[in-house]
Each structure stands twice: as C-alpha cells, then as structure tokens.
Amino acid sequence: MLRTVCRAGGALLKHSRQTVPALWGTPAQQRWASSLPMNTVVLFVPQQEAWVVERMGRFHRILEPGLNFLIPILDRIRYVQSLKEIVIDVPEQSAVSLDNVTLQIDGVLYLRILDPFKASYGVEDPEYAVTQLAQTTMRSELGKLTLDKVFRERESLNANIVHSINQASDEWGIRCLRYEIKDIHVPPRVKESMQMQVEAERRKRATVLESEGTREAAINVAEGRKQAQILASEGQKAEQINKAAGEANAVLAKAEAKAKAIKLLSEALTAQNGNAAASLSVAEQYVAAFSNLAKESNTVLLPSNTGDITSMVTQAMSIYGSLSKQPVRQVEIEPAESSETVLEEKAPSEAMSAQTTLSS
C-alpha cells in the first residue's frame, strides 16, 4: 500500500514539474514558484524552512521541520519560505544629494523572514518589495545630506535606511537586519574638484604644522636665551658678591696689619733708643723719596737745603716730639672698624708731616 502511494506521489511530482512554467515573472517569482513541492501524503520538511499549506484554497497550517502528513487532493503546499538570512543585491541607482550632486549608489540588503504567514499573504513578492523599498528609502535619505556628509556619515545613513525599511516591512513579516552601501560613484568633474579640495586641505595642514613647528622653535630659542641671561646675571651677581667680600676681607686684613704695625712702632718708639731708630727711619724714607723725584711728574718742588740730611732729620724729629707731647685720645672701636679709624687718625698726621716737609 505504501509503495503504491509513493509511486502515485512520484508521478504527480513529475507531472507538476512539467506543468510549472519555465519563466514566471521576475527571477525572484520564478525561484518562489519552482521550489514548491507536491503533496505526497508523507513529507519531510528541511530545517530552517516553513511550508505554508492551504486546504481547499484556504490557509490551513505551516509545516514544521521534520515528518508531516497531508491529505491528498485537499491539501496543497502553496508557499515555501526560507527562515535563513537572505542577502539581496540592491541594483545601482541614481540619487540627488542636498547640494544637487547626482550620485550612483548600490548596496546590499540583509533580511530575514520572521512570520511566514505574513510573508506569504501580506505581500505578493517579499524580496522585490523590500528591494524597491530600499531603493526609494535610499534616495529619500540621500536627499537630506550633502555630498561631504554622505561620505562621512555612511553608518548613520545605513541605520536610517534600515529603520525606514523595518517600519514598512513589519506588516510583511520581514525584518531588515543590515544595509550596507557598496559603492558611491560621483561625476568626473565633481571627483576632480573633490581631489583638488583634498589636496588643498592637506597643503593647509602642512602649512599649519610647519608654522606651529616654527613657533615652537622660536619659543624654545627665546626660552633658552632667557634662561641663559638669567644664569649669566646670577653668575655676575655671585661674582660681584664674592669680589666685594674678598675686597672687604682684604681691606680688613690690611687695616688689621697696619694697626698691628703702628702698635709695634709705638712700642718701639717708647723703648730705649727709640728716637735714634725713628731718626734712622726718617732718613731712609727721605732718601727713598728723594730718589723717586721727577719719575712720576715733571713738576718738582725741592727745599733749599736738599743735601742737608741732618737738618731734615732734626726737623722731622722736632715734629714728632711736638706731636708726642699732645695728649692721646683713647677711642674704643669695634674690630671691624679699627682699621678705618686708624687710617682716619693717621691721615691727618701724614698730611701734616707732608705739609711741613713741603713748606721747609
């Protein structure tokens, strides 16, 4: 019995394949029509496919993958829907952007059938309908953007097209997953102007980068000169401070040495035979001074008795005796100012002695 039924089903299947037209409308319609199997009572539905069955011309049920049984003559498989993700190539079309530039754009559409009933009875040809909807939506979306934004915002453009398609395809039981723009062709003149714009932009960037480099170099040079001047001034300041400190120490050391010398000289004069030693010292200084005459200037003042050394020594000793008879004022000074006080006190005595010498 089962063998007879299978033979009858095979004969009916061959008859149906012979009766199906070779060409039925569009290629998509031909694919949908040529894949319809015949009712052989026992049917095996492949995975990821949905077979829509009509009973006496009215929707009956959708066969699930696996083993299914149908009633001959009464039941008929009307549609076979694939539940896999379908890839549709959207043909190239022309569109006008917001700035009146004509573009040639094609794309790829990815969709999936979620409801086989709506896909079968909601629209005559789902693939053709979605393709036309994608093309019209693409043209409308491109009309909202300028040429520059079309290249920069391709992702947002694809998302807007997918959203518009899904709003219209919900009644068809189809879900658009992705839409990708494949190629964008612009007119040759527009392409040349875009190339010139890109070159100008790159030259602008190069000029800006070069100017920024020059500015940074000038700033670095100025900072280096500033730091060099600061360091040089600090070095000069330190040098002057050290030099002043050295000169102060030298003056202090000289003053202290001279004070000690004067102290020793005063002690020596108060000792025995101090007058004789003072006379010898004055005579030596007179001879040394007389030997240096006319070496530093052309003007020479000489006393009348230049060769009488005894009178000069006697006169110097008389001046010394008169100064020694005057009372000595004791002044208490600090160590740092002792040298200057001694110099101030000595200067009048030297000036007086020099004036006495010149007058004589």
Side-chain angles (χ1 to χ4, degrees), residues 30-200:
Q30 182 180 0
R31 187 173 71 85
W32 290 100
S34 60
S35 60
L36 296 178
M38 292 297 299
N39 183 4
T40 57
V41 181
V42 180
L43 299 175
F44 298 95
V45 180
Q47 186 67 33
Q48 290 298 99
E49 286 189 7
W51 292 4
V52 180
V53 178
E54 293 180 354
R55 177 168 290 181
M56 293 182 295
R58 185 176 180 180
F59 173 74
H60 175 57
R61 67 189 179 105
I62 298 176
L63 300 182
E64 300 293 335
L67 178 62
N68 294 273
F69 297 95
L70 296 178
I71 300 176
I73 302 175
L74 298 181
D75 296 337
R76 179 186 175 187
I77 301 173
R78 186 66 178 84
Y79 300 100
V80 174
Q81 303 290 354
S82 176
L83 303 180
K84 300 177 183 179
E85 186 173 348
I86 303 173
V87 181
I88 301 176
D89 189 9
V90 180
E92 184 178 7
Q93 60 175 342
S94 62
V96 181
S97 62
L98 185 62
D99 49 355
N100 297 325
V101 178
T102 303
L103 305 175
Q104 299 292 332
I105 298 181
D106 56 356
V108 179
L109 184 64
Y110 300 86
L111 55 88
R112 176 176 291 174
I113 297 176
L114 301 181
D115 191 347
F117 177 79
K118 292 182 179 181
S120 301
Y121 298 99
V123 63
E124 181 65 28
D125 190 348
E127 293 185 3
Y128 180 75
V130 172
T131 302
Q132 295 300 317
L133 180 60
Q135 290 180 345
T136 55
T137 305
M138 184 192 303
R139 285 194 292 267
S140 63
E141 292 294 332
L142 285 176
K144 301 176 183 178
L145 301 175
T146 59
L147 181 61
D148 295 335
K149 290 185 177 180
V150 170
F151 292 98
R152 290 198 303 264
E153 300 181 2
R154 295 182 65 170
E155 294 183 0
S156 61
L157 180 61
N158 295 335
N160 293 334
I161 294 174
V162 170
H163 180 68
S164 301
I165 292 175
N166 287 332
Q167 286 182 345
S169 62
D170 287 339
E171 299 296 329
W172 304 339
I174 298 174
R175 182 70 177 177
C176 181
L177 302 179
R178 294 181 304 278
Y179 182 84
E180 298 292 340
I181 296 177
K182 291 172 60 178
D183 296 319
I184 300 177
H185 302 283
V186 297
R189 293 185 178 179
V190 177
K191 189 174 181 180
E192 292 177 0
S193 62
M194 291 175 62
Q195 186 68 25
M196 294 173 61
Q197 181 181 1
V198 171
E199 293 178 358

Side-chain angles (χ1 to χ4, degrees), residues 2 13 26 108 115 179 183 202 249 254 260 280-281 291 293 306 321 358:
L2 182 59
L13 181 60
T26 62
V108 179
D115 191 347
Y179 182 84
D183 296 319
R202 294 191 177 278
N249 293 330
K254 289 180 180 179
K260 291 180 180 180
L280 179 61
S281 177
S291 63
L293 291 175
T306 306
L358 292 175

